[in-house]
Amino acid sequence: MSQEPKRRHSIARKGKRRAAIKLTAVKSVICKNCKSLKLSHAICPNCGFYKGKQIVVSKLAKSQPKDE
């Protein structure tokens, strides 16, 4: 025999259980290099820096020729 509840759960009990299931807002921090908002523990989409090091070279930096 399968396990079935003996009595019906009330609406209040269901509401208490579902009250804990909620979405939270995404936490964003300020990039130390370019001062724009970015996700924490992620590469900055604006400048490509992470923990003070450049990880991704932006398209603007690639297209500009270097003066030597």
Side-chain angles (χ1 to χ4, degrees), residues 8-19:
R8 180 173 182 257
H9 292 305
S10 68
I11 296 170
R13 187 169 172 180
K14 179 174 68 172
K16 285 180 190 175
R17 184 181 68 246
R18 290 184 178 173

Side-chain angles (χ1 to χ4, degrees), residues 3 10-12 16-17 23 25-26 30 33-34 38-40 51 53-54 57-58 60 62 64 66 68:
Q3 301 254 339
S10 68
I11 296 170
K16 285 180 190 175
R17 184 181 68 246
L23 295 175
V26 177
I30 296 172
N33 187 49
C34 66
K38 69 176 195 80
L39 292 174
S40 61
K51 290 189 176 180
K53 297 177 185 174
Q54 188 164 13
V57 179
S58 65
L60 293 173
K62 285 183 181 178
Q64 295 174 349
K66 294 182 179 179
E68 293 182 14

Side-chain angles (χ1 to χ4, degrees), residues 37-56:
L37 289 176
K38 69 176 195 80
L39 292 174
S40 61
H41 305 287
I43 298 171
C44 178
N46 193 28
C47 64
F49 273 70
Y50 181 70
K51 290 189 176 180
K53 297 177 185 174
Q54 188 164 13
I55 306 298
V56 179

